[in-house]
């Protein structure tokens, strides 16, 4: 087995606020293997972004973090700020949700990409700009020579996200974190941008940590999936395991709330009832308990541990009723 | 850009006309020179009154639309258009423009350095406060700003005079008043005269501007593109000075333009307290002396300054913000 690109090990992130401690991420552990696409899914507020930002150490100063984020043979949470800066944009690059606001409005797009190159590579300014144009071309921005001299507001949303991707792959990172990269885009553009990410990944060999609340985005592109809820991992495994052989009520709830092309005719979309847990005052026991159709008294007393559900240890789920789930799901299906 | 500037300037002309007309009417209605002459000079006869009436066209209305040529305001406007602002009645019989020019120059000696002190200090304090939000220094700067905003200018000026001009005069030799002739002063003398008034002028403006810059900077620091800049691996210094500052300063340009034009228009309180022969005291004394020509010239200057600097701010806005430049 090769070394994972990045390992989250028992990561917990809490924000002290005026109203109390927000425990946004709780004991999260998972790895990303080189060159794979790992998706992190879950409703908004599940702690996906906070997990990613912890890897980049971009959280506010007062944040309390425990656990480890291992990358390149060291714990990123333990290294100095200067060393961390060499990781940002170089070892790990990030693509953010809203391309309309993620680029500096008063800097030319080329300058912003060239800056990424210059920060980590000892090249001339001229060469960095040439690289910027080449990068734009590689992500499918037409007329890159002219486009580098334009400002972000002269780019469409899709083109801006391409520029963000170009910037992210500028230094050939080992890991690309994309936090809801398509959420702010038109549906027609979403597929194109995902395609560009996939191509960029093939060209650079980077692993992708794809964060999204949209399972539709994940379906075609993810190798493995982590499902998060209330700051915890609820299920993890290969895309096949999680999508087709899910062993978790929350994952199933997510799945039946999205439209599927292969769904039998007449199947209705069933949104998960209720809302994600209050972060300041989470429910006792299983965080999904108040919304779970299969919950029983035991679920509200203590939260379940993440358990292996397959034979090879690659598929894991967090639920008190793992043993009964196949029957419960089958019963729900026929109802 | 040029067409835009030209259009903006033309658009302000009606505004200027309405403003000056209103002022002219007010200023000429509050005082009656004939009545005053009658009181101050009981032995004066009708001949003297007639001379006064003739001199200032007091028999003509301020504005008569049916006979514009016979209106005092229109006559004034016509003269102004040819660069003739009339003569003063309170500062000897000199052309108003000469006096205003000299006084404006004096005001500039305070205003220009004051502006640079204000701009740099407010930027420094605002940026520092924002970058160290909720730190002890931030709270201290915030507290002092509110004190500065709340402190009446005349009180602060007097305080400085007593403190640095009298009690601790030996330390730096600050002058509590401007007393000597300006042309006898060397540079150090000048510094000793202008320091206290400049500090007085700066206090309130620094306090308000630094609050504004802090807020603007905080807005920017929490924006997505600053997170992007950090995610690139840039040093905090580059994030703040290369990415945040430029964006945060865009709205500040307007404030600077307004504040600078206000400073150039002269400060009544500060200049009076420090006996500084600038535009502020001149305006006040001219108002009391019913020196219509002088008042009108000063007000016109202040208006033109405000309009001009607003225009400059708008043009700078376009230079700083590419989103405005293109569209
Ligand atoms: N800086 C912060 N201070 C306080 N709470 C925060 C902060 N950042 C995120 N949170 C909270 O942490 C929880 C998880 O947020 P996030 O990771 O952004 O969710 P998502 O899965 O939608 O990306 C949310 O409830 C959010 O309100
Ligand atoms: S532990 Fe209970 S409440 Fe939680 S998902 Fe499983 S069945 Fe539902
Ligand atoms: Mg998020």
């Amino acid at each position: 087995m090769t070394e994972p690109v990045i390992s989250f090990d028992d990561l917990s992130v809490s924000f002290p606020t005026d109203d109390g401690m927000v425990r946004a991420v709780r004991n999260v552990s998972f790895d990303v293997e080189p060159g794979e696409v790992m998706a992190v899914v879950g409703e908004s507020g599940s702690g996906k972004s906070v997990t990613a930002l912890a890897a980049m150490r971009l959280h506010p100063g007062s944040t309390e973090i425990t656990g480890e984020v291992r990358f390149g043979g060291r714990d990123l949470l333990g290294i100095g700020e200067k060393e961390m800066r060499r990781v940002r944009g170089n070892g790990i690059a990030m693509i953010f949700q809203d391309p309309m606001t993620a680029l500096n409005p008063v800097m030319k797009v080329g300058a912003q990409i060239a800056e990424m190159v210059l920060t980590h590579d000892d090249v001339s300014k001229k060469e960095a700009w040439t690289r910027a144009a080449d990068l734009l071309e590689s992500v499918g921005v037409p007329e890159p020579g002219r486009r580098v001299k334009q400002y972000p507001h002269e780019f469409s949303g899709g083109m801006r996200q391409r520029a963000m991707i170009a910037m992210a792959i500028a230094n050939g990172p080992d890991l690309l974190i994309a936090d809801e990269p398509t959420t702010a885009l038109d549906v027609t553009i979403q597929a194109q941008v995902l395609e560009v990410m996939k191509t960029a990944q093939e060209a650079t060999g980077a692993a992708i940590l794809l964060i999204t609340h949209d399972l539709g985005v994940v379906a075609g592109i993810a190798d493995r999936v982590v499902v998060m809820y209330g700051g915890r991992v609820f299920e993890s495994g290969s895309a096949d395991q999680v999508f087709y052989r899910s062993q978790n009520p929350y994952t199933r709830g997510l799945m039946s709330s999205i439209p599927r092309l292969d769904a039998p005719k007449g199947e209705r979309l069933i949104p998960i009832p209720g809302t994600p847990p209050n972060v300041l005052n989470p429910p006792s026991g299983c965080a999904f308990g108040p919304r779970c159709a299969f919950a029983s008294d035991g679920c509200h007393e203590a939260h379940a541990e993440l358990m292996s559900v397959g034979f090879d240890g690659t598929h894991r789920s967090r639920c008190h009723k793992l043993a009964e789930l196949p029957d419960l799901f089958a019963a729900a299906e026929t109802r | 850009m040029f067409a835009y500037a030209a259009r903006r300037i033309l658009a302000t002309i009606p505004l200027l006309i309405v403003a000056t007309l209103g002022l002219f009417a007010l200023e000429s209605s509050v005082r009656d020179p004939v009545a005053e002459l009658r009181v101050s000079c009981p032995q004066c006869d009708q001949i003297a009154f007639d001379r006064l009436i003739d001199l200032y066209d007091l028999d003509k209305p301020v504005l008569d639309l049916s006979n514009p040529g016979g209106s005092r305001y229109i006559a004034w406007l016509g003269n102004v258009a040819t660069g003739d602002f009339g003569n003063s009645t309170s500062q000897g019989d000199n052309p108003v423009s000469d006096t205003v020019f000299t006084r404006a120059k004096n005001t500039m000696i305070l205003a220009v350095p004051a502006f640079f002190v204000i701009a740099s200090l407010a930027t420094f304090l605002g940026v520092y406060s924002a970058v160290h939000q909720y730190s002890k220094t931030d709270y201290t700067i915030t507290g002092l700003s509110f004190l500065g905003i709340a402190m009446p200018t005349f009180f602060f000026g007097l305080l400085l005079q007593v403190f640095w001009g009298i009690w601790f005069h030996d330390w730096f030799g600050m002058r509590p008043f401007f007393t000597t002739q300006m042309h006898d002063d060397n540079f150090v003398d000048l510094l000793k005269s202008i320091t206290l008034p400049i500090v007085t002028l700066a206090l309130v403006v620094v306090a308000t501007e630094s609050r504004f810059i802090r807020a603007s900077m905080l807005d920017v620091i929490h924006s997505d593109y600053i997170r992007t800049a950090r995610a690139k691996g840039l040093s905090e210094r580059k994030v703040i000075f290369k990415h945040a500052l430029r964006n945060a300063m865009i709205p500040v340009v307007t404030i600077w333009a307004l504040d600078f034009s206000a400073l150039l228009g002269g400060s009544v309180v500060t200049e009076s307290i420090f006996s500084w022969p600038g535009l502020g005291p001149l305006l006040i004394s001219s108002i009391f002396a019913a020196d219509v020509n002088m008042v009108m010239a000063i007000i016109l200057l202040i208006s033109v300054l405000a309009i001009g600097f607003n225009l400059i701010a708008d043009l700078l806005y376009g230079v700083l913000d590419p989103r405005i430049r293109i569209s």
Side-chain angles (χ1 to χ4, degrees):
Chain A
M1 269 272 290
T2 50
E3 274 282 293
V5 183
I6 194 166
S7 303
F8 295 88
D9 188 0
D10 204 25
L11 178 75
S12 294
V13 184
S14 305
F15 304 102
T17 69
D18 291 343
D19 304 316
M21 195 63 109
V22 173
R23 298 189 56 197
V25 170
R26 299 156 177 244
N27 312 96
V28 162
S29 302
F30 66 88
D31 298 340
V32 181
E33 304 295 336
E36 76 167 340
V37 177
M38 169 65 107
V40 180
V41 301
E43 286 166 292
S44 127
S46 304
K48 309 181 297 292
S49 298
V50 171
T51 304
L53 289 174
M56 291 291 266
R57 290 218 338 226
L58 287 175
H59 42 263
S62 59
T63 314
E64 290 174 16
I65 302 194
T66 59
E68 281 188 11
V69 179
R70 273 192 304 280
F71 177 86
R74 60 218 191 284
D75 175 17
L76 292 182
L77 301 180
I79 62 178
E81 177 61 24
K82 209 163 167 194
E83 196 177 346
M84 190 62 219
R85 282 209 303 268
R86 279 199 292 273
V87 173
R88 293 188 195 122
N90 195 25
I92 310 177
M94 199 151 173
I95 301 164
F96 295 101
Q97 170 167 347
D98 192 351
M100 309 313 260
T101 56
L103 288 165
N104 188 335
V106 302
M107 250 174 109
K108 287 179 179 151
V109 171
Q112 300 191 47
I113 301 174
E115 183 183 49
M116 183 73 147
V117 175
L118 288 166
T119 306
H120 299 286
D121 209 344
D122 195 14
V123 295
S124 71
K125 215 169 163 178
K126 191 158 168 269
E127 185 167 350
W129 274 81
T130 314
R131 286 249 294 269
D134 293 347
L135 284 160
L136 276 186
E137 183 158 35
S138 75
V139 295
V141 173
E143 295 184 77
R146 188 172 65 86
R147 293 296 227 159
V148 280
K149 296 196 205 88
Q150 292 186 330
Y151 288 93
H153 72 271
E154 298 169 80
F155 278 52
S156 69
M159 284 298 152
R160 279 189 225 190
Q161 202 58 306
R162 284 171 198 252
M164 281 297 289
I165 295 170
M167 196 159 88
I169 60 172
N171 298 305
D174 297 320
L175 177 67
L176 211 56
I177 302 180
D179 190 352
E180 311 266 4
T182 59
T183 306
L185 302 174
D186 286 352
V187 181
T188 46
I189 312 287
Q190 287 185 359
Q192 293 172 15
V193 167
L194 283 176
E195 194 54 44
V196 169
M197 274 183 53
K198 193 79 194 146
T199 316
Q201 181 199 27
E202 278 153 18
T204 60
I208 295 182
L209 185 62
L210 176 65
I211 295 172
T212 179
H213 70 275
D214 183 354
L215 287 178
V217 164
V218 177
I221 159 167
D223 299 307
R224 291 197 298 147
V225 179
V226 168
V227 180
M228 281 184 74
Y229 185 74
R232 286 199 170 90
V233 174
F234 263 55
E235 188 171 13
S236 69
S238 70
D240 276 355
Q241 287 166 341
V242 173
F243 283 138
Y244 299 110
R245 297 192 293 281
S246 169
Q247 295 297 316
N248 190 280
Y250 176 62
T251 311
R252 275 185 64 94
L254 274 183
M255 307 265 285
S256 46
S257 65
I258 60 149
R260 283 207 322 254
L261 283 177
D262 60 348
K265 246 205 165 102
E267 190 191 68
R268 282 191 308 155
L269 296 180
I270 313 155
I272 309 178
T275 52
N278 178 339
V279 280
L280 284 168
N281 228 333
S284 62
C286 176
F288 190 51
R291 305 168 69 192
C292 181
F294 311 114
S296 58
D297 289 353
C299 296
H300 304 302
E301 273 156 26
H303 72 84
E305 294 301 326
L306 194 60
M307 307 283 274
S308 186
V309 289
F311 301 106
D312 57 358
T314 54
H315 189 184
R316 293 153 75 81
S317 173
R318 183 192 299 279
C319 180
H320 282 304
K321 304 192 151 182
L322 283 178
E324 306 151 55
L325 279 180
D327 292 341
L328 291 171
F329 286 167
E333 207 77 43
T334 54
R335 224 186 297 144
Chain B
M1 193 96 126
F2 179 77
Y4 171 76
R7 216 170 36 233
R8 279 288 310 269
I9 291 170
L10 286 178
T12 59
I13 288 179
L15 192 73
L16 269 181
I17 289 184
V18 171
T20 50
L21 174 61
L23 215 93
F24 196 95
L26 270 177
E27 184 62 26
S28 10
S29 64
V30 287
R31 301 295 286 269
D32 181 353
V34 178
E36 279 174 29
L37 187 63
R38 199 168 271 141
V39 172
S40 61
C41 171
Q43 68 275 29
C44 285
D45 55 6
Q46 192 58 38
I47 297 169
F49 298 151
D50 285 347
R51 227 184 93 60
L52 205 59
I53 290 169
D54 182 49
L55 192 60
Y56 297 117
D57 290 333
L58 292 178
D59 52 340
K60 291 183 186 159
V62 170
L63 182 66
D64 179 1
L65 285 178
S66 59
N67 176 23
S71 313
R72 277 155 67 195
Y73 174 71
I74 298 292
W76 175 81
L77 210 56
N79 290 337
V80 166
T82 63
D84 175 12
F85 290 85
N87 282 12
S88 166
T89 53
S90 62
Q91 308 280 322
D93 194 25
N94 298 317
V96 158
S97 44
D98 288 0
T99 314
V100 171
F101 184 75
T102 320
R103 294 300 196 102
K105 226 169 45 189
N106 291 347
T107 286
M108 264 176 67
I109 293 175
L110 292 186
V112 174
F115 176 72
F116 286 105
V117 168
I118 288 165
S120 42
L121 201 60
T123 307
F124 175 77
L125 292 177
V127 169
Y128 191 93
S129 261
V131 172
H132 300 91
Q133 191 188 11
Y134 301 142
S135 68
K136 279 204 181 84
T137 324
D138 178 29
Y139 285 126
T140 310
I141 293 173
T142 301
L144 289 177
S145 309
F146 286 133
L147 196 69
I149 293 168
M151 177 94 80
T153 306
F154 77 90
F155 183 69
F156 184 63
L158 291 175
L159 221 59
L160 285 183
Q161 285 178 327
V162 171
F163 206 75
W164 292 114
I166 300 173
W167 293 352
F168 294 97
H169 179 79
D170 296 347
W171 286 26
F172 301 111
M174 299 295 185
R175 293 175 175 165
F177 298 108
F178 179 74
T179 43
T180 47
Q181 286 299 305
M182 208 167 274
H183 53 257
D184 290 339
D185 281 4
N186 61 28
F187 183 68
V188 177
D189 291 332
L190 187 67
L191 270 187
K192 288 175 178 172
S193 298
I194 65 174
T195 303
L196 297 183
I198 285 177
V199 173
T200 309
L201 283 174
L203 179 77
V204 183
V205 193
V206 167
T208 47
E209 274 189 13
S210 67
R211 298 306 300 161
F212 187 88
I213 292 171
R214 177 182 183 271
S216 175
M217 193 71 185
L218 279 177
D219 244 21
V220 170
I221 284 178
H222 291 124
S223 64
D224 284 358
Y225 56 85
I226 293 303
R227 193 181 51 188
T228 306
R230 291 211 173 95
K232 281 175 161 181
L234 295 180
S235 66
E236 195 57 22
R237 198 168 41 88
K238 273 205 173 136
V239 170
I240 297 299
F241 290 106
K242 196 169 165 197
H243 286 265
L245 195 58
R246 165 94 186 268
N247 280 284
M249 289 324 258
I250 292 173
V252 177
V253 166
T254 309
I255 309 279
W256 275 350
L258 291 178
D259 285 345
F260 192 32
S261 73
L263 284 169
L264 286 174
S267 149
V268 173
V269 176
T270 305
E271 288 178 357
S272 300
I273 289 180
F274 291 96
S275 322
W276 187 261
L279 285 170
L282 179 66
L283 176 63
I284 285 297
S285 66
S286 307
I287 290 174
F288 287 139
D291 192 344
V292 179
N293 285 340
M294 189 70 89
V295 173
M296 294 307 293
I298 297 174
I299 295 295
L300 202 60
L301 175 67
I302 291 174
S303 314
V304 168
L305 281 173
I307 290 164
F309 276 92
N310 244 311
L311 183 65
I312 290 173
D314 280 0
L315 297 180
L316 270 180
Y317 225 92
V319 173
L320 287 175
D321 193 339
R323 285 163 296 187
I324 291 172
R325 199 184 313 159
I326 311 290
S327 56

